[in-house]
């Protein structure tokens, strides 16, 4: 009786294609990667407290925005309230002007849009205020007030 | 006199480390990849100059659009009524107390919709908010 000779196989895993696989994976992840670039204007909302905090009306600068995007700034100077219409592009300059008059650094800027004002109008005024605070190096004191009704 | 024999060297670039480099790159991209989790609404964000980068770790998105006179709010790819925002955000706050709410609102939505959402967020005690905007370097 004759037995077949068993052939000896070498037991190597071929790794020649490893590089190809890794490159493929690499290209897949490179293509699908989306780096985080979320940008936004940050704000901290007021707490929902039953107690009302009383603030002197002289320390509040009201920035009203109507449905057409017109901006009016009301502030106190020498005890009298002044209301001025301001082009939105000039809000930051006007804010810097008001901030420079406020030596005690007590002023709070309150944005009051009307109900039908576009979101964009609010954002661009908010942006202008932020820029002004950044330029003057003051701590940010900006609040978003509840919407007012539109005048017809 | 004896001369030393000049050995002939093969001019090859060593490619043994290529796979190491590629693996390193691969791991970098695998770790840094964030797959898009939600589709959201089609919105055109407003522009702002003072917008800052926010860390993606704690973010919860609220997409705000409008249809006619009504507001459309989408959270986690589900359209929700504005009155429900409070409950959803309370849940998110419980899961992550440091949650930052990023409001992705269309620039043309009337302000009252975002005003109502702010009211809901205050009730849910999620007070850290980011108003998403496209960054521009100068006013047009």
């Amino acid at each position: 009786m004759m037995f077949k000779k068993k052939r000896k196989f070498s037991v190597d895993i071929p790794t020649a294609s490893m590089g190809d696989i890794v490159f493929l994976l690499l290209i897949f992840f490179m293509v699908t990667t989306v780096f985080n670039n979320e940008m936004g204007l940050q704000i901290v909302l007021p707490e929902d407290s039953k107690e009302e905090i009383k603030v002197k009306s002289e320390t509040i600068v009201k920035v009203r925005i109507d449905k057409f995007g017109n901006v009016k700034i009301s502030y106190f100077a020498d005890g009298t309230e002044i209301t001025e219409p301001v082009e939105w592009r000039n809000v930051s300059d006007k804010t810097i002007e008001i901030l420079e008059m406020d030596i005690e650094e007590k002023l709070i800027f309150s944005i009051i849009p009307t109900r039908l004002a576009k979101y964009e109008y609010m954002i661009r005024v908010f942006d202008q205020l932020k820029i002004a605070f950044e330029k003057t190096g003051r701590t940010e004191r900006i609040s978003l007030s509840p919407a007012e009704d539109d005048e017809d | 006199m004896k001369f030393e024999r000049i050995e002939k060297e093969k001019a090859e670039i060593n490619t043994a480390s290529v796979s190491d480099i590629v693996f390193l790159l691969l791991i970098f991209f695998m770790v840094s990849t964030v797959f898009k989790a939600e589709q959201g609404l089609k919105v055109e964000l407003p522009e702002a100059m003072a917008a800052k980068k926010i860390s993606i770790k704690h973010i919860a998105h609220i997409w705000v659009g409008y249809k006619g006179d009504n507001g459309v709010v989408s959270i986690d790819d589900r359209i929700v009524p504005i009155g429900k925002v409070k409950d959803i955000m309370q849940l998110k706050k419980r899961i992550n107390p440091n949650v930052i709410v990023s409001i992705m609102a269309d620039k043309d939505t009337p302000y009252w919709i975002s005003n109502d959402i702010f009211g809901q967020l205050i009730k849910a005690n999620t007070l850290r908010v980011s108003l998403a905007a496209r960054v521009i370097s100068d006013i047009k």
Side-chain angles (χ1 to χ4, degrees):
Chain A
M1 214 171 145
M2 255 173 74
F3 292 98
K4 272 189 187 172
K5 243 188 208 170
K6 270 186 188 171
R7 276 185 200 164
K8 273 185 186 167
F9 290 101
S10 64
V11 279
D12 275 345
I13 297 168
T15 53
S17 58
M18 185 74 145
D20 298 343
I21 296 163
V22 173
F23 253 117
L24 215 97
L25 277 168
L26 174 65
I27 288 160
F28 169 73
F29 279 101
M30 273 174 76
V31 169
T32 56
T33 293
V34 181
F35 288 102
N36 167 34
N37 51 1
E38 252 203 67
M39 311 290 264
L41 301 167
Q42 291 185 49
I43 187 169
V44 179
L45 299 175
E47 269 178 53
D48 186 18
S49 61
K50 298 284 183 290
E51 291 171 42
E52 279 191 14
I53 303 157
K54 281 183 184 166
V55 185
K56 274 188 189 170
S57 58
E58 286 97 69
T59 60
I60 297 174
V61 179
K62 290 171 187 153
V63 185
R64 289 202 165 84
I65 309 162
D66 72 6
K67 63 177 170 182
F68 306 109
N70 301 320
V71 182
K72 272 183 193 162
I73 300 183
S74 312
Y75 61 99
F76 278 85
D78 302 323
T80 48
E81 192 175 22
I82 301 167
T83 305
E84 275 178 38
V86 181
E87 171 78 15
W88 72 266
R89 286 179 180 82
N90 304 329
V91 168
S92 84
D93 293 335
K94 185 74 204 170
T95 307
I96 292 171
E97 204 181 288
I98 296 168
L99 283 173
E100 275 165 1
M101 286 195 289
D102 166 43
I103 307 152
E104 292 174 0
E105 302 197 10
K106 274 187 175 170
L107 287 185
I108 300 166
F109 282 73
S110 177
I111 303 172
I112 316 167
T114 58
R115 287 178 64 79
L116 294 178
K118 282 183 186 175
Y119 182 73
E120 185 187 21
Y121 300 156
M122 185 274 284
I123 289 286
R124 64 193 187 190
V125 169
F126 187 34
D127 190 33
Q128 289 282 312
L129 291 179
K130 273 201 172 241
I131 292 166
F133 273 92
E134 237 167 62
K135 276 186 185 165
T136 52
R138 299 270 187 99
T139 32
E140 222 168 79
R141 287 163 146 251
I142 306 169
S143 75
L144 272 175
S145 298
E148 282 187 339
D149 287 328
D150 286 82
E151 290 168 24
D152 286 313
Chain B
M1 210 169 140
K2 249 187 173 179
F3 290 99
E4 268 182 37
R5 215 185 254 173
I6 296 166
E7 278 179 24
K8 272 187 188 170
E9 275 180 27
K10 274 187 184 174
E12 267 184 3
I13 296 167
N14 191 5
T15 53
S17 59
V18 169
S19 69
D20 295 343
I21 297 163
V22 172
F23 253 117
L24 213 99
L25 278 168
L26 174 64
I27 288 160
F28 167 72
F29 279 100
M30 276 174 74
V31 169
S32 61
T33 292
V34 179
F35 288 101
K36 243 189 166 179
E38 49 185 344
Q39 211 73 33
L41 297 173
K42 255 194 181 172
V43 291
E44 203 180 317
L45 294 175
E47 292 171 337
M49 287 157 72
K52 298 233 165 67
K53 209 171 174 181
I54 35 172
S55 92
I56 205 164
K57 261 191 211 163
H58 306 297
I59 271 192
H61 290 108
I62 298 180
W63 303 76
V64 185
Y66 64 103
K67 216 176 204 178
D69 284 339
N70 297 317
V72 182
V73 179
S74 165
I75 301 172
D76 295 335
D77 278 341
R78 264 180 297 165
I79 304 287
V80 290
I82 294 176
K84 276 270 166 9
V85 172
K86 178 194 151 200
D87 298 337
I88 298 167
M89 283 302 138
Q90 265 176 343
L91 203 79
K92 285 193 189 276
K93 174 98 180 173
R94 221 174 295 154
I95 296 164
N96 180 3
N98 297 322
V99 72
I100 302 170
V101 182
S102 175
I103 295 181
M104 316 278 282
D106 192 284
K107 64 190 180 92
D108 290 329
T109 47
Y111 181 69
W112 68 264
I113 302 169
S114 26
N115 186 55
D116 288 359
I117 291 169
F118 292 142
Q120 292 280 314
L121 294 178
I122 290 171
K123 279 182 196 161
N125 203 29
T126 43
L127 304 174
R128 289 174 74 191
V129 174
S130 160
L131 310 172
R134 273 191 303 135
V135 180
I136 48 164
S137 52
D138 213 345
I139 303 166
K140 277 175 205 162

